[in-house]
Amino acid sequence: MNIKIIGVGKLKEKFLKDGIAEYSKRLSKFAKFEIIEVPDEKAPEKLSAAQMHDVMNKEGERILSKVKDREYVYVLAIKGKERASEELAAEIEQLALRGDADITFIIGGSLGTAPAVNARANSLISFGKFTLPHQLMRLVLTEQIYRAFMINAGSPYHK
């Protein structure tokens, strides 16, 4: 199985990098795992609606250039479906059984994801109504993917 996270922007904080590295190492016994960073679009502090649209679309083009046709795509979105860890684990297991061995998770930039990115998604997923920095979301998502594999392996890790 191949698991990929595509995220906008470069991760800078050491504590986030360390956490992601730890969960990436743990995940390696279950799947090939990679994180792809695409550059964020530079923008002024205050944006008009048109400028916001342009920024999201440019970031969206960068994201979509990293997605292959055969990949099953989850896009993290506030309006996505919330799932319990066990539900995500079951979905990943079903995808594997169905032959969808390439799963991609997309985390947009600070403005979210472009409509074209959401349209490419097989599923929109939400981690609740909290607002979290997109860099921190990479760590949270990586841990949840690891947790899903541990659930599917019957490990007590997730309890």
Side-chain angles (χ1 to χ4, degrees):
M1 182 161 255
N2 300 302
I3 305 289
K4 176 169 64 178
I5 295 175
I6 301 173
V8 174
K10 197 144 191 69
L11 206 57
K12 297 173 186 91
E13 293 83 0
K14 183 179 178 339
F15 73 96
L16 294 174
K17 288 179 183 179
D18 290 347
I20 290 169
E22 177 61 28
Y23 287 113
S24 296
K25 183 177 79 177
R26 293 180 189 188
L27 258 171
S28 68
K29 65 182 171 180
F30 299 108
K32 179 179 178 247
F33 178 73
E34 69 176 318
I35 295 179
I36 296 173
E37 295 178 335
V38 297
D40 54 347
E41 185 65 21
K42 303 301 178 220
E45 192 70 29
K46 294 192 187 241
L47 298 171
S48 68
Q51 288 171 314
M52 287 176 68
H53 182 76
D54 286 346
V55 167
M56 286 194 311
N57 284 339
K58 287 177 182 172
E59 291 175 349
E61 288 172 12
R62 293 177 189 137
I63 290 167
L64 291 173
S65 74
K66 305 297 182 188
V67 177
K68 296 180 179 78
D69 289 341
R70 71 179 187 279
E71 294 173 348
Y72 188 92
V73 176
Y74 285 97
V75 172
L76 277 67
I78 292 170
K79 294 182 180 177
K81 179 185 174 207
E82 290 183 36
R83 292 157 173 83
S85 297
E86 293 82 3
E87 290 174 290
L88 180 61
E91 283 182 30
I92 289 173
E93 187 171 51
Q94 284 303 307
L95 288 169
L97 291 172
R98 206 170 72 191
D100 287 317
D102 298 306
I103 301 173
T104 296
F105 292 85
I106 295 173
I107 303 171
S110 59
L111 300 176
T113 49
V117 174
N118 293 345
R120 172 56 183 89
N122 296 92
S123 183
L124 297 177
I125 187 169
S126 172
F127 278 68
K129 295 181 181 181
F130 287 119
T131 300
L132 296 172
H134 55 280
Q135 293 92 350
L136 176 59
M137 201 59 228
R138 283 189 213 173
L139 174 58
V140 173
L141 176 59
T142 303
E143 188 280 335
Q144 283 298 300
I145 294 168
Y146 172 69
R147 182 177 296 268
F149 278 97
M150 292 300 285
I151 289 168
N152 290 339
S155 169
Y157 168 82
H158 73 286
K159 295 181 179 180

